[in-house]
Amino acid sequence: MAKTMAVNVGSSSLKFQLLEMPAERVIANGVIERIGMDDAIVTIKYGEQRSAEQLAVHSEDNAHVTHTKNGKKYENILAIKDHQQAINFVLQQLTTLDIIQDFNEITGVGHRVVAGGEWFNHSVVVTDSVLEKIDRLSDYAPLHNPANAMGIRAFQKLLPNALSVAVFDTSFHQTMPKENYLYSLPYQYYTRYGARKYGAHGISHHYVSQRAAVMMNRNLSELKLITLHMGAGVSITAIEDGKSIDTSMGFSPLSGVTMATRSGDVDPSLVYYIQEHEGLSNDDMVNILNKKSGLLGISTISSDMRDLLDVQDTNDHAQLAVKIFVNRIVKYIGQYIAEMGGVDAIIFTAGIGENSIPVRQMIIERLSYFGIELDVEANNVRGQEVEISTAASRVKALLIPTNEELMIAREVESLK
Ligand code: AMP
């Protein structure tokens, strides 16, 4: 059976999942961190027969193979100078570990690309002109698109016969109407620079919305959904007729709700005020908004929701950070219910959404006005696909682990 690789390349990391398609069986998944360093960390998990829908992927650190209850784990620490070497190493290792016998077994590679602008409203087979556009869109995602393009080129070199597909994190949001994606700025900035809302996490929002319809035994076309992707980055999307009609992230992933280290929405004039008073350069300020704000900035102790929940009873800052996090999410949900004129289900996904029982509880309890009732016992789980609202709840609350890799592999399959 054909094998498809779903790839997510970051500036210093590479995550992949190898799936047998169309059976959607995961054969291996892995991550290389610290690319460019003398002590890059490689982890490859393999040797188990899992269905892609059931897989929760998370990486860990440490050159050996261990047997775990879920299969085997290869770990190594070595010098990896660049992405080309990283990809070369992964493919060699897949053959050494007997996961594949020959590179040609991999017939498709799907790449997650962060910014697709207005050019890409669906996934595409990568051609020279597509690659050139991904390069040009680096203006919109300077940290990500260059790494994504590098990953595509490196895989093309090693697997010239495999179908190369770009899956954009913004495509799903291209269905937003103009009144929702346009900022109230002089119109010429939109026409000149494409200054508008593009959103993010589209692959994840798309995947969980499809699963929600399956769980509810309804057609996506008749549902109003609000999907909460709550990880280190957090975004909320209003979905009607299976299409994104509004989302909380904007021109960049900085806007919307409070995140691990990103501020979310801030009055722009406050940014200039703080810069002036603190004597900060533009780069300094952008760094503060992206890396030092959010849960970390408010709590002053951690960007990790687990740490904050652990100490919130004794630490006022931690408690405040959790309150602000929940409050911003509840506000966006209210806004989207108003925009859609109702909602059928609210969906929780990603690190916090899948694992934090108290955060889900705090959010749902604030929504009782809209007819959402939490099933406390059903909510007492992590990382499973399950309904967490009561049978009587007018609006459903669903916990759906995201699976961006599977979504990417399906996109590759659909373009074969
Ligand atoms: P992601 O970006 O989807 O990998 O999610 C990462 C985030 O999930 C981290 O910032 C953690 O704070 C959060 N997270 C993971 N497990 C838990 C948990 N049990 N409770 C609260 N937050 C969690």
Side-chain angles (χ1 to χ4, degrees):
M1 218 181 286
K3 296 182 177 71
T4 295
M5 187 88 125
V7 181
N8 186 358
V9 178
S11 51
S12 65
S13 69
L14 165 92
K15 287 191 198 142
F16 73 90
Q17 195 172 98
L18 186 67
L19 299 102
E20 209 164 69
M21 296 298 281
E24 302 193 342
R25 209 177 74 226
V26 178
I27 304 165
N29 62 289
V31 54
I32 302 190
E33 293 157 283
R34 301 166 63 84
I35 296 172
M37 314 286 271
D38 288 339
D39 55 351
I41 306 164
V42 184
T43 313
I44 302 175
K45 295 180 185 169
Y46 63 105
E48 56 190 301
Q49 304 288 306
R50 298 166 297 191
S51 139
E53 297 277 13
Q54 292 162 356
L55 188 79
V57 192
H58 277 291
S59 57
E60 290 149 41
D61 318 341
N62 236 344
H64 54 271
V65 173
T66 48
H67 292 258
T68 70
K69 76 175 189 309
N70 296 319
K72 295 179 198 161
K73 180 154 88 172
Y74 165 86
E75 295 171 292
N76 198 352
I77 296 177
L78 74 167
I80 292 188
K81 68 175 188 329
D82 56 24
H83 287 78
Q84 184 73 59
Q85 194 186 344
I87 291 163
N88 210 346
F89 185 79
V90 162
L91 291 175
Q92 287 299 346
Q93 211 51 47
L94 290 177
T95 50
T96 309
L97 294 170
D98 256 353
I99 297 167
I100 56 171
Q101 309 306 314
D102 189 298
F103 286 6
N104 286 323
E105 286 172 33
I106 302 173
T107 54
V109 184
H111 296 268
R112 176 186 187 187
V113 179
V114 166
E118 288 190 334
W119 280 326
F120 299 106
N121 57 12
H122 52 76
S123 306
V124 291
V125 173
V126 177
T127 59
D128 288 348
S129 123
V130 166
L131 255 178
E132 189 216 334
K133 287 186 172 123
I134 292 173
D135 284 335
R136 282 168 61 190
L137 288 162
S138 295
D139 247 15
Y140 291 174
L143 294 178
H144 295 100
N145 268 40
N148 302 153
M150 201 151 46
I152 294 175
R153 290 191 170 95
F155 266 101
Q156 283 182 333
K157 227 171 170 178
L158 289 167
L159 302 175
N161 300 321
L163 187 75
S164 175
V165 171
V167 182
F168 300 90
D169 222 17
T170 49
S171 291
F172 183 59
H173 301 300
Q174 279 297 300
T175 46
M176 285 188 288
K178 206 165 195 166
E179 62 269 28
N180 287 350
Y181 72 66
L182 211 59
Y183 292 110
S184 309
L185 290 168
Y187 196 83
Q188 75 245 29
Y189 300 133
Y190 169 58
T191 42
R192 269 190 216 156
Y193 310 115
R196 52 159 285 181
K197 184 192 273 200
Y198 292 100
H201 295 145
I203 302 167
S204 175
H205 289 292
H206 194 184
Y207 174 78
V208 298
S209 64
Q210 289 182 342
R211 289 301 308 162
V214 173
M215 282 175 79
M216 296 168 78
N217 204 14
R218 303 265 301 270
N219 282 326
L220 253 180
S221 59
E222 61 189 35
L223 289 174
K224 292 175 179 172
L225 304 172
I226 298 177
T227 48
L228 314 182
H229 179 108
M230 308 194 298
V234 186
S235 70
I236 304 185
T237 298
I239 300 172
E240 224 177 327
D241 188 16
K243 299 186 184 85
S244 166
I245 63 134
D246 208 348
T247 194
S248 60
M249 283 180 169
F251 176 71
S252 81
L254 184 53
S255 76
V257 295
T258 304
M259 309 181 214
T261 61
R262 289 183 214 139
S263 64
D265 297 336
V266 174
D267 179 345
S269 56
L270 185 57
V271 173
Y272 296 111
Y273 183 87
I274 293 171
Q275 257 187 284
E276 207 175 294
H277 284 74
E278 295 272 314
L280 298 168
S281 68
N282 290 344
D283 283 352
D284 288 341
M285 196 67 220
V286 167
N287 191 45
I288 288 168
L289 290 167
N290 278 289
K291 304 261 172 70
K292 305 231 159 82
S293 301
L295 293 177
L296 174 65
I298 303 162
S299 72
T300 72
I301 55 171
S302 176
S303 63
D304 193 318
M305 182 57 87
R306 284 168 288 202
D307 298 340
L308 303 182
L309 292 169
D310 282 349
V311 301
Q312 63 167 343
D313 289 341
T314 52
N315 184 307
D316 289 348
H317 279 267
Q319 191 181 75
L320 185 61
V322 173
K323 275 188 177 164
I324 292 178
F325 182 90
V326 169
N327 171 276
R328 297 301 187 273
I329 288 175
V330 167
K331 281 192 204 188
Y332 263 93
I333 293 173
Q335 187 181 316
Y336 289 164
I337 291 176
E339 257 186 283
M340 292 194 290
V343 64
D344 297 297
I346 310 243
I347 293 120
F348 293 83
T349 196
I352 300 174
E354 291 168 28
N355 296 301
S356 185
I357 297 160
V359 171
R360 290 196 301 260
Q361 178 160 357
M362 283 184 266
I363 293 172
I364 295 173
E365 282 176 350
R366 295 273 304 275
L367 300 170
S368 57
Y369 175 81
F370 296 110
I372 311 180
E373 192 179 74
L374 180 73
D375 181 332
V376 175
E377 208 163 301
N379 186 44
N380 203 16
V381 290
R382 295 201 167 93
Q384 287 174 32
E385 217 171 71
V386 61
E387 184 174 327
I388 55 175
S389 47
T390 62
S393 184
R394 264 195 300 119
V395 175
K396 300 288 167 210
L398 308 173
L399 162 53
I400 305 182
T402 194
N403 196 335
E404 290 158 294
E405 293 81 7
L406 177 58
M407 200 67 197
I408 292 172
R410 283 181 182 164
E411 292 292 283
V412 175
E413 204 56 24
S414 74
L415 289 168
K416 272 186 179 164

